[in-house]
Amino acid sequence: MDNTSETPTMTAWRRDTYGPASGTTLQEIPVPVPGRGEVVLRVSATALNAGDVRLMLGDPLLVRPIFGMTKPKYPVRGIEVAGTVVAVGPDVVGAELDEHVVGELVGGGGLATYVRVPAARLVPVPPDVDPAIAACLPVAGGTAWQALDLAEVGLRAGSAPRVLIIGASGGVGTFAVQLAALRGAEVWATCRTRNAPLVEYLGATRTLDHRTSPLSELPAEHFDAVIDIAGGMPLRELQRLVAPGGTVVLVTGDGGHIMGPVPRMIKAAFLSIGSRRIRPLAASPRPEVLAKLLELVAEGRISPVIEREYPFAEASAALAHIEAGHTVGKLVVRAG
């Protein structure tokens, strides 16, 4: 920290109004002070997600009462962060100074030199796991894990389930393929044709591009679970694909500019009356899941797909890349 002035400052990439990544600028802001149950991290690496872009744009409008009506309550993006504990607030349990940790932030803040975070959200990083790898796990890996749990993939006794993952080449999708395969599932996956070799390497038995091979061509009742990450598919078409007793899990938050996914969620609730459930996923921070993901990474059983690493000085370009869409796996910004 810079202690040359009365109020120490740090550098951070901020956008003080809602809008595109091009309006994000590097600014000097005060170093955060930990409150009760909080710690301050010196950031080592930040992984970016589609959710960062939605919060940056304030889209859908439904999120603004929580994240800021006319301007963002959290103007610094970055929700997944790995770093080192440099300050500890009152009543902190389970985090110590100089400890290397990873976790999911509240609203953002990772694209900065330092960030404040509730200690309860943090998990120690094993010594042999790179911070850039660890930073990819809290949101993307955690969401994939929770989606598979919601669909009960690998949680039921009996034969190996057959799972379809729609949108398998993004951050959540690349984790979902690996984790489903680890749970003993036969994994089918949709992705762009150019990404098929990667998705098959991660564990998919069969890949298809639903832009050229429509899901309507797949046989009815062929899957025990469908994990929809890409969005945009008719709910009845997704429901047709699962066998009786199967589950469709909606991971995506797609929808209109005002209400977002809410109308689709309401329709899913009505269509779920019967034996083929449609379950929207509301993923949440789960430190116990993050700890298991770190174990799997340390053991070499899963690994995040990182399309590109950016230096801190180019964090705005990383946000613009995410905003443009079609990122394969994850983008990571390393501290400078």
Side-chain angles (χ1 to χ4, degrees), residues 11-333:
T11 53
W13 286 94
R14 285 174 59 106
R15 201 188 199 293
D16 296 301
T17 58
Y18 288 119
S22 58
T24 304
T25 60
L26 194 60
Q27 302 179 27
E28 286 288 321
I29 64 173
V31 172
V33 176
R36 189 172 301 277
E38 296 178 330
V39 302
V40 170
L41 304 183
R42 181 174 63 247
V43 177
S44 301
T46 301
L48 299 177
N49 301 278
D52 288 302
V53 171
R54 288 196 292 270
L55 291 176
M56 181 178 68
L57 299 174
D59 185 48
L61 297 180
L62 182 69
V63 307
R64 295 198 181 189
I66 301 173
F67 295 103
M69 288 298 296
T70 60
K71 61 181 181 179
K73 182 179 178 181
Y74 304 97
V76 179
R77 297 274 52 81
I79 300 173
E80 296 179 294
V81 168
T84 304
V85 178
V86 295
V88 177
D91 299 332
V92 166
V93 177
E96 301 177 353
L97 286 174
D98 298 325
E99 187 175 25
H100 300 293
V101 295
V102 62
E104 179 178 343
L105 304 181
V106 180
L111 294 180
T113 310
Y114 300 94
V115 67
R116 182 174 58 198
V117 57
R121 291 186 172 219
L122 298 173
V123 175
V125 177
D128 54 349
V129 175
D130 187 277
I133 299 293
C136 295
L137 300 175
V139 174
T143 298
W145 185 291
Q146 291 175 58
L148 294 172
D149 277 358
L150 191 58
E152 299 183 0
V153 174
L155 303 182
R156 299 178 182 178
S159 59
R162 181 179 290 129
V163 179
L164 173 65
I165 298 172
I166 302 173
S169 60
V172 176
T174 49
F175 278 117
V177 171
Q178 294 179 77
L179 291 170
L182 275 181
R183 295 184 182 202
E186 177 188 332
V187 181
W188 293 36
T190 78
C191 60
R192 292 180 179 272
T193 302
R194 66 173 181 267
N195 297 327
L198 167 66
V199 174
E200 291 169 0
Y201 170 78
L202 295 176
T205 301
R206 177 176 173 181
T207 58
L208 62 149
D209 188 335
H210 62 257
R211 299 162 190 82
T212 56
S213 301
L215 297 182
S216 58
E217 296 180 359
L218 293 175
E221 302 183 0
H222 195 61
F223 301 96
D224 299 288
V226 172
I227 311 296
D228 180 21
I229 303 168
M233 306 294 171
L235 293 179
R236 290 190 182 277
E237 180 60 36
L238 297 178
Q239 197 173 37
R240 182 189 70 85
L241 295 172
V242 294
T247 303
V248 176
V249 174
L250 305 178
V251 176
T252 177
D254 64 339
H257 176 57
I258 297 176
M259 295 298 290
V262 172
R264 196 167 190 243
M265 291 167 62
I266 294 172
K267 183 176 180 181
F270 281 104
L271 291 177
S272 293
I273 300 173
S275 63
R276 296 176 179 87
R277 301 170 298 173
I278 305 178
R279 305 285 298 277
L281 174 66
S284 59
R286 298 277 299 278
E288 71 280 10
V289 168
L290 178 55
K292 293 175 182 177
L293 290 167
L294 284 164
E295 288 179 12
L296 292 174
V297 168
E299 294 167 359
R301 301 178 69 188
I302 65 169
S303 180
V305 174
I306 298 177
E307 178 181 320
R308 181 176 173 184
E309 290 188 12
Y310 289 78
F312 183 75
E314 298 177 14
S316 180
L319 281 170
H321 189 115
I322 289 281
E323 184 182 359
H326 309 310
T327 300
V328 177
K330 301 284 294 180
L331 295 185
V332 175
V333 176

